[in-house]
């Protein structure tokens, strides 16, 4: 889709892809808003202005990051179009207009629905004016028919996406072995449908065959909301024997009892809690270029973990909470609000340093130790020279004594560095 130009980090977005995006999103502003979401959530970036996106959508050379984002938006809308459409079906006629406005304006709807009334009458109704019951009924019927085709197209796209996901996992498991735990594998999916929900085996077998067939042999295009229809197209035609093979795979899973399935419904589970005693580190354990945990250095703490059943991951999950701290591990007090927050990993400052070109990103202790080491090496070089050039026992003894004191000061400084930066 993107074509690199001679200028570095610049590429163009294909105008045919712009047309495809517009047929699904209707307006450029909606495309821009979706594309900007990633930048708005980025700590170190910001939303790009409309003119830059407009240049990209018009096929002009732009920063390649914009093209990558537009392609990512399009890929996700191809795979999961239902996520970008109203969650509810069209409501009754008296509430229909607000629902329609989520998708497009009056001119677009008038053209797509092929209404018999003039555009002006429809626009007036769209703006709140009264309209004859027969005309409103016509709009409602046309919208319902259009929405049925949209949902059918979305269902096909989503079915292929799920099939592709399962097919990739099956192939990966064949090459690398199955993962130890995966609640989103095809066995878990059909265990839920058959064992937990009671889907008939024949119906489930056909669905299994459809998923693997569509996921392996079909590709999808972005749905055209002006004329919604099946977005799938055949990439590699497979003979009937392959579909029969998928059926045998399915019945083998059933016969084996879905050995790698993770039930979706909650198993019998009684919540419980565990209290553990731990201890925080010091400056050596800081994860970012800034010292963010001075108040915690060396403290003992008790963490209470309440265990519960997580329906999404389908397993026992723990919710930890720091409840007490102690300086000596013997006398305890309730944790302060800062202590309850626990060790700050400093992700913001780590990414900030990385974006500024620092690699590897080192904490301040590592940097201070390097400076201290260089200072000691310089001082030791002078003392070693004094030892080599000593004239007499008194000078030699004094030089050795100075070196031993310098080494002692170095060790003491290294220890202090664990807790505080040196002045």
């Amino acid at each position: 889709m993107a074509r690199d130009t001679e200028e570095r980090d610049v590429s163009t977005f294909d105008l045919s892809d712009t047309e495809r995006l517009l047929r699904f999103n209707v307006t450029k502003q909606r495309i821009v808003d979706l594309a900007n979401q990633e930048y708005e959530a980025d700590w170190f970036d910001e939303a790009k202005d409309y003119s830059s996106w407009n240049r990209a959508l018009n096929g002009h050379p732009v920063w390649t990051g914009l093209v990558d984002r537009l392609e990512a938006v399009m890929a996700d809308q191809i795979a999961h179009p239902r996520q970008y459409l109203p969650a509810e079906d069209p409501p009754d006629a008296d509430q229909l207009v607000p629902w329609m406005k989520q998708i497009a304006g009056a001119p677009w709807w008038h053209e797509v629905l092929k209404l018999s009334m003039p555009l002006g009458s429809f626009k007036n109704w769209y703006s709140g004016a009264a309209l004859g019951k027969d005309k409103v009924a016509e709009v409602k019927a046309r919208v319902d028919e259009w929405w049925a085709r949209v949902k059918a197209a979305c269902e096909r796209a989503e079915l292929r996406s799920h099939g592709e996901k399962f097919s990739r996992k099956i192939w990966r498991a064949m090459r690398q072995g199955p993962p130890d735990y995966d609640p989103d594998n095809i066995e878990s999916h059909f265990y839920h449908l058959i064992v937990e929900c009671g889907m008939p085996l024949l119906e489930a077998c056909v669905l299994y065959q459809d998923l693997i067939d569509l996921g392996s042999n079909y590709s999808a295009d972005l749905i055209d909301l002006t004329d919604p229809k099946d977005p799938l197209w055949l990439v590699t035609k497979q003979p009937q024997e392959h579909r029969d093979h998928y059926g045998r795979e399915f019945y083998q899973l059933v016969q084996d009892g879905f050995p790698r399935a993770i039930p979706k419904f909650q198993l019998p589970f009684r919540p419980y809690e565990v209290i553990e005693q731990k201890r925080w580190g010091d400056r050596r354990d800081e994860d970012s270029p800034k010292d963010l945990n001075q108040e915690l250095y060396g403290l003992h703490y008790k963490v209470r973990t309440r265990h519960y059943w997580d329906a999404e991951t389908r397993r026992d999950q723990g919710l930890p909470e720091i409840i007490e701290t102690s300086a000596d591990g013997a006398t305890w007090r309730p944790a302060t609000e800062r202590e309850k927050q626990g060790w700050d990993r400093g992700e913001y400052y780590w990414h900030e340093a990385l974006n500024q070109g620092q690699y590897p990103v080192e904490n301040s202790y590592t940097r201070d130790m390097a400076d201290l080491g260089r200072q000691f090496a310089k001082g030791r070089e002078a003392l070693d020279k004094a030892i080599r050039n000593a004239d007499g026992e008194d000078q030699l003894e004094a030089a050795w004594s100075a070196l031993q004191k310098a080494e002692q000061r170095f060790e003491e400084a290294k220890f202090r560095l664990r807790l505080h930066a040196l002045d």
Side-chain angles (χ1 to χ4, degrees):
M1 295 179 186
R3 299 188 301 273
D4 292 337
T5 65
E6 293 181 358
E7 186 176 353
R8 186 182 179 187
D9 294 329
V10 172
S11 56
T12 58
F13 190 68
D14 199 302
L15 286 174
S16 65
D17 289 337
T18 299
E19 180 63 25
R20 295 162 72 198
L21 280 171
L22 284 171
R23 286 185 174 274
F24 182 76
N25 295 280
V26 183
T27 67
K28 284 185 178 180
Q29 186 61 60
R30 173 169 166 75
I31 299 171
V32 170
D33 291 342
L34 290 170
N36 258 332
Q37 286 179 358
E38 182 176 277
Y39 294 111
E40 291 169 349
D42 193 322
W43 285 343
F44 306 101
D45 214 331
E46 57 185 12
K48 311 307 176 186
D49 60 83
Y50 180 85
S51 61
S52 297
W53 291 112
N54 192 50
R55 282 181 54 80
L57 291 168
N58 287 336
H60 297 296
V62 294
W63 172 53
T64 192
L66 300 182
V67 174
D68 292 343
R69 266 305 291 152
L70 290 173
E71 292 184 341
V73 168
M74 184 165 63
D76 197 60
Q77 290 186 331
I78 289 173
H80 306 291
R82 193 67 181 85
Q83 298 178 10
Y84 296 87
L85 294 167
E88 303 297 330
D89 290 340
D92 295 337
D94 58 343
Q95 296 295 323
L96 188 56
V97 170
W99 185 91
M100 296 171 69
K101 286 182 176 179
Q102 298 179 75
I103 298 173
W108 185 90
W109 277 112
H110 186 270
E111 181 178 353
V112 168
L113 299 179
K114 303 294 188 294
L115 298 172
S116 62
M117 73 187 77
L119 175 59
S121 300
F122 180 71
K123 290 174 68 175
N124 290 337
W125 175 74
Y126 210 73
S127 300
L131 188 66
K133 290 184 178 181
D134 57 335
K135 297 298 184 184
V136 174
E138 178 192 359
V139 175
K140 170 63 174 167
R142 297 285 178 88
V143 169
D144 287 347
E145 185 276 332
W146 172 87
W147 183 243
R149 290 191 289 134
V150 169
K151 289 209 301 183
C154 289
E155 183 178 346
R156 289 282 287 172
E158 297 283 354
L159 192 64
R160 189 205 68 86
S161 297
H162 281 97
E164 183 181 40
K165 174 187 67 177
F166 290 140
S167 296
R168 287 179 176 176
K169 289 189 175 187
I170 290 171
W171 279 107
R172 190 180 304 120
M174 291 174 62
R175 294 192 303 270
Q176 304 172 4
D180 294 332
Y181 187 87
D182 182 9
D184 193 30
N185 60 21
I186 197 165
E187 292 188 44
S188 299
H189 183 72
F190 279 91
Y191 177 89
H192 171 67
L193 293 177
I194 298 169
V195 179
E196 296 181 320
C197 297
M199 177 181 280
L201 280 182
L202 182 58
E203 181 182 345
C205 180
V206 173
L207 176 59
Y208 183 95
Q209 291 171 309
D210 286 343
L211 281 171
I212 304 301
D213 183 28
L214 295 180
S216 302
N217 305 316
Y218 284 76
S219 188
D221 204 348
L222 195 55
I223 295 172
D224 180 358
L225 292 186
T226 65
D227 182 22
K229 53 190 176 184
D230 189 349
L232 305 190
W233 48 280
L234 188 62
V235 176
T236 304
K237 186 175 182 179
Q238 296 292 337
Q240 179 63 35
E241 298 84 66
H242 284 228
R243 190 172 177 87
D244 295 339
H245 174 71
Y246 303 150
R248 289 192 293 273
E249 280 184 350
F250 169 79
Y251 282 109
Q252 188 64 52
L253 281 181
V254 175
Q255 182 178 337
D256 293 343
F258 306 98
R260 294 193 173 275
I262 309 297
K264 187 172 185 178
F265 292 160
Q266 179 176 339
L267 299 174
F269 182 84
R270 178 176 294 178
Y272 65 97
E273 65 179 44
V274 175
I275 296 179
E276 299 174 282
Q277 182 175 324
K278 300 182 180 182
R279 190 178 186 182
W280 283 303
D282 50 43
R283 288 185 79 220
R284 294 171 295 179
D285 303 299
E286 291 281 2
D287 298 290
S288 78
K290 289 184 175 293
D291 293 338
L292 302 174
N293 300 282
Q294 297 96 322
E295 299 173 33
L296 308 183
Y297 291 166
L299 282 181
H300 300 261
Y301 66 97
K302 291 181 181 178
V303 56
R304 177 176 60 203
T305 303
R306 289 192 170 100
H307 290 263
Y308 64 97
W309 183 262
D310 189 317
E312 183 176 350
T313 61
R314 308 183 197 179
R315 67 194 312 178
D316 173 0
Q317 295 284 22
L319 186 64
E321 178 188 12
I322 295 169
I323 54 175
E324 291 183 303
T325 60
S326 170
D328 57 8
T331 304
W332 295 87
R333 59 171 174 78
T336 66
E337 289 303 315
R338 171 64 187 91
E339 291 164 350
K340 288 180 180 179
Q341 295 171 13
W343 194 265
D344 188 339
R345 300 290 304 277
E347 292 183 16
Y348 174 88
Y349 298 104
W350 189 91
H351 283 96
E352 183 181 51
L354 195 65
N355 284 353
Q356 292 173 352
Q358 298 181 32
Y359 186 82
V361 178
E362 298 178 327
N363 63 20
S364 58
Y365 171 82
T366 302
R367 298 195 306 271
D368 288 348
M369 272 297 297
D371 291 340
L372 183 65
R374 284 190 289 268
Q375 294 172 18
F376 176 71
K378 185 176 181 181
R380 178 166 186 152
E381 183 180 353
L383 291 171
D384 286 340
K385 183 177 180 180
I387 291 173
R388 291 194 302 271
N389 298 333
D391 186 9
E393 290 295 328
D394 291 343
Q395 289 187 10
L396 181 61
E397 183 178 348
W400 272 110
S401 177
L403 178 58
Q404 291 172 351
K405 290 179 180 179
E407 290 176 340
Q408 182 178 355
R409 287 194 301 271
F410 178 56
E411 293 301 321
E412 291 172 350
K414 286 197 298 183
F415 180 78
R416 292 198 305 274
L417 271 182
R418 299 179 183 181
L419 301 177
H420 306 286
L422 296 179
D423 295 331

